[in-house]
Amino acid sequence: WEQANEYCRQLTRLDRAAGVLRVDWEYRLPTEAEWEYACRAGSLEPRHGPPRDVAWYHDNADEQPHAVGQKTPNAWGFHDMFGNVWEWCQDYFGPYPADKVIEPKGPKEGTSRVLRGGSWMAEADRCQSFVRWQQEPETQSPQIGFRLLLEVNRPDNQG
């Protein structure tokens, strides 16, 4: 998690310096809610197809991660939201809010961070949009990766 965030900061700095990224844009890890929203792509289903079609997981991954883009993408064109590698999210891990909320934020503090999506070593039932995992932010593993989000930063007074 720490290295993934540092990667986002460095890529933001480099792309701004190269003139390919506006000064008010930045790369970051998605929140858990943003990750699930992108994963579901407007669907209420836990997956956009059978596990073998949409994920690298225990039964089909041959005990290794695979290059991105070989499985069927979701309705918004995102590949590998399931399986292959768990993906770090920005949030601390904690219970979901009791009340119905829009764009929920994770706890303000904690000891572990959220991972989503499953991995090449996970069983198929772990590779679903609602499945959550947690790890300490310093954890490194061939089962963990990340997905970038490109955000436009707006001053608080502009919404």
Side-chain angles (χ1 to χ4, degrees):
W1 186 89
E2 293 164 347
Q3 289 179 338
N5 276 287
E6 182 59 24
Y7 180 89
C8 291
R9 284 188 289 275
Q10 291 297 326
L11 185 60
T12 296
R13 183 184 61 76
L14 290 170
D15 279 2
R16 283 179 181 163
V20 297
L21 191 65
R22 291 177 28 170
V23 70
D24 58 337
W25 292 17
E26 71 176 349
Y27 299 107
R28 66 172 175 82
L29 297 179
T31 65
E32 184 176 11
E34 289 167 336
W35 187 95
E36 187 166 337
Y37 182 76
C39 179
R40 287 183 180 268
S43 173
L44 297 178
E45 297 299 318
R47 258 192 306 263
H48 61 278
R52 285 202 173 278
D53 293 348
V54 301
W56 293 111
Y57 62 104
H58 181 268
D59 291 353
N60 71 352
D62 205 22
E63 298 185 7
Q64 63 185 343
H66 293 266
V68 174
Q70 298 179 52
K71 295 293 183 178
T72 305
N74 71 13
W76 293 349
F78 293 121
H79 287 268
D80 298 304
M81 297 296 293
F82 306 109
N84 215 19
V85 294
W86 288 100
E87 296 183 7
W88 286 117
C89 293
Q90 199 60 253
D91 304 304
Y92 283 107
F93 186 85
Y96 282 138
D99 299 330
K100 193 173 192 177
V101 293
I102 296 173
E103 293 187 44
K105 304 292 184 211
K108 294 190 186 297
E109 55 187 24
T111 58
S112 59
R113 297 289 183 162
V114 174
L115 292 159
R116 299 294 296 262
S119 83
W120 52 273
M121 287 188 65
E123 296 297 329
D125 65 347
R126 304 292 293 158
C127 301
Q128 298 186 70
S129 58
F130 58 85
V131 174
R132 311 166 76 213
W133 197 251
Q134 63 178 318
Q135 285 290 333
E136 288 71 32
E138 64 276 2
T139 301
Q140 296 182 31
S141 169
Q143 292 185 66
I144 299 175
F146 61 98
R147 184 176 300 264
L148 297 179
L149 181 143
L150 179 59
E151 177 176 58
V152 177
N153 289 317
R154 295 186 178 96
D156 291 340
N157 62 356
Q158 292 184 5

